[in-house]
C-alpha cells in the first residue's frame, strides 16, 4: 500500500493539493506504526524475519535476473554467495532501477496533456516494482489485479494477461518436479516468465499511451474524470511540465499556423 503514496504525491503536486497528501502520508505512517509496533515489541525475531529474508535472498526463480543468469551463464552482480551472505550489489541495483522507473513515471504524470488517473499511475508503479525486483512470488501478481481493472478497463486485454499469468503456474510446478520425475526442463518455465513480463509491459504501454491520449481512455471517454481518485477527481492542474502542453496540441498545429500566416501576408500584399 505504501507504493500508492508515490503516485498520490505526484498528482497532488500537479493539482496543488500537497496539504491533502501530507495528511494522507501521516495517516499511513501512523497506521503502519500502530500495526507493526506491538508485533515488533512482542515478537521481534519473527517480525524481523521477513525483512531479513528479503535482504539476504538472491535472485528469485521468477525474476528477470534469474532468467538472464540461467540462459547466459551470467553469475549475477555479486557472483557466488555463501549461505547467509547478503547480495549487496543486487539489492542496490534493483533499488536504483526502481527509483529510476518511478522518476520516469513521475515525468509522464507531470508532462501528460491531462492529469492521469490515480489507478493508472499506481499500476505503473507496482508493475515497475515487480519487473525490477529480485523476488516475484506467484502471489505478488495479485497486487496488480485490482489496479489493472481500474487502470485498463478492457476485458479482453485483462483476460489475456490474467490467463498468461495463471498459466505460469503449470511450467513452474513441472519444473520444480524435475525432469527425472517427468517434469519439464527449466527453459519452459523461464520462457513462461518472459511471456508474463512482456504481458505486463504491454499493459504498461497501453496505459502510457492512454495517458498521453486521454480520448482513448474508456473511463474518460464516458465523461468521467477520475472516479477512484478521491479529492483528485475533477481537480484542476496547477503545475504541469511545459512539454505536456506541447503534447496536448493537435498535430500539425504550428505548421497550420505558419501556413495561415503566409496566406494572410499574401492577401494583404
Amino acid at each position: 500500500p505504501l507504493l500508492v503514496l508515490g503516485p498520490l504525491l505526484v498528482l497532488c503536486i500537479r493539482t496543488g493539493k500537497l496539504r491533502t497528501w501530507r495528511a494522507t502520508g501521516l495517516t499511513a505512517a501512523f497506521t503502519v506504526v500502530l500495526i507493526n509496533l506491538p508485533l515488533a515489541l512482542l515478537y521481534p525475531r519473527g517480525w524481523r524475519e521477513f525483512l531479513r529474508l528479503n535482504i539476504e535472498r538472491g535472485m528469485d526463480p521468477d525474476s528477470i535476473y534469474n532468467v538472464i543468469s540461467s540462459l547466459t551463464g551470467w553469475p549475477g552482480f555479486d557472483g557466488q554467495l555463501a549461505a547467509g551472505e547478503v547480495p549487496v550489489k543486487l539489492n542496490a541495483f534493483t533499488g536504483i532501477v526502481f527509483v529510476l522507473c518511478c522518476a520516469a513515471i513521475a515525468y509522464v504524470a507531470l508532462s501528460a496533456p491531462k492529469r492521469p488517473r490515480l489507478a493508472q499511475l499506481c499500476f505503473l508503479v507496482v508493475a515497475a516494482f515487480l519487473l525490477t525486483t529480485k523476488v516475484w512470488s506467484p502471489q505478488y501478481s495479485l497486487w496488480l489485479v485490482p489496479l489493472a481493472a481500474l487502470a485498463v478497463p478492457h476485458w479482453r486485454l485483462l483476460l489475456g494477461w490474467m490467463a498468461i499469468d495463471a498459466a505460469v503456474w503449470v511450467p513452474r510446478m513441472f519444473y520444480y518436479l524435475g525432469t527425472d520425475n517427468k517434469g519439464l526442463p527449466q527453459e519452459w518455465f523461464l520462457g513462461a516468465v518472459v511471456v508474463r513480463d512482456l504481458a505486463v509491459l504491454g499493459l504498461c504501454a497501453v496505459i502510457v499511451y492512454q495517458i498521453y491520449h486521454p480520448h482513448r481512455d474508456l473511463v474518460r471517454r464516458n465523461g468521467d474524470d477520475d472516479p477512484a481518485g478521491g479529492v483528485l477527481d475533477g481537480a484542476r492542474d496547477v503545475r504541469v511540465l511545459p512539454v505536456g502542453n506541447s503534447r496536448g496540441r493537435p498535430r500539425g498545429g504550428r505548421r497550420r499556423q505558419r501556413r495561415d500566416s503566409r496566406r494572410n501576408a499574401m492577401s494583404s500584399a
Side-chain angles (χ1 to χ4, degrees):
L2 293 178
L3 294 177
V4 179
L5 291 177
L8 277 174
L9 174 61
V10 176
L11 293 177
C12 285
I13 290 175
R14 177 160 179 159
T15 57
K17 295 183 178 295
L18 284 177
R19 180 178 299 179
T20 302
W21 184 86
R22 284 194 293 267
T24 303
L26 290 175
T27 303
F30 175 76
T31 303
V32 170
V33 173
L34 182 65
I35 294 175
N36 284 270
L37 185 59
L39 298 175
L41 294 176
L42 293 174
Y43 312 101
R45 184 176 179 181
W47 183 83
R48 289 195 302 265
E49 181 62 18
F50 178 79
L51 299 177
R52 183 198 65 79
L53 182 62
N54 276 273
I55 293 174
E56 295 182 359
R57 289 178 70 173
M59 297 178 290
D60 188 75
D62 279 39
S63 69
I64 189 62
Y65 310 105
N66 179 67
V67 173
I68 297 174
S69 176
S70 300
L71 296 180
T72 65
W74 173 56
F77 293 104
D78 300 274
Q80 190 67 28
L81 296 173
E85 189 175 357
V86 177
V88 178
K89 295 180 181 179
L90 176 61
N91 292 343
F93 180 83
T94 56
I96 292 173
V97 173
F98 176 62
V99 170
L100 292 176
C101 289
C102 289
I105 295 170
Y107 174 81
V108 170
L110 294 174
S111 64
K114 186 177 179 65
R115 171 180 41 80
R117 293 187 290 111
L118 176 61
Q120 292 175 318
L121 295 187
C122 288
F123 182 92
L124 292 177
V125 169
V126 176
F129 175 78
L130 292 177
L131 290 168
T132 60
T133 187
K134 64 179 182 178
V135 178
W136 187 333
S137 299
Q139 67 272 18
Y140 288 6
S141 296
L142 296 176
W143 298 348
L144 291 174
V145 173
L147 298 176
L150 295 172
V152 196
H154 298 263
W155 69 269
R156 292 183 180 87
L157 289 177
L158 295 182
L159 184 61
W161 160 64
M162 292 178 184
I164 291 173
D165 198 290
V168 177
W169 183 260
V170 177
R172 180 202 311 276
M173 291 295 99
F174 275 97
Y175 162 59
Y176 288 158
L177 187 63
T179 54
D180 295 338
N181 295 318
K182 299 182 180 180
L184 291 174
Q186 184 185 32
E187 289 74 16
W188 285 73
F189 170 59
L190 298 179
V193 170
V194 172
V195 173
R196 179 204 62 191
D197 290 357
L198 291 176
V200 174
L201 286 173
L203 289 180
C204 292
V206 171
I207 291 174
V208 172
Y209 176 80
Q210 292 184 352
I211 287 176
Y212 281 112
H213 302 82
H215 63 282
R216 297 287 187 179
D217 186 354
L218 291 182
V219 174
R220 285 179 165 160
R221 185 185 299 177
N222 295 325
D224 294 320
D225 180 50
D226 191 357
V231 296
L232 298 170
D233 187 23
R236 295 187 303 172
D237 287 338
V238 175
R239 298 179 181 88
V240 183
L241 293 179
V243 68
N245 296 331
S246 62
R247 283 184 179 271
R249 295 171 183 166
R251 292 185 178 180
R254 293 181 179 177
R255 187 181 304 171
R256 191 179 300 108
Q257 290 178 0
R258 290 195 296 267
R259 185 171 61 248
D260 293 341
S261 299
R262 287 196 297 267
R263 288 179 179 176
N264 293 334
M266 293 176 62
S267 60
S268 60

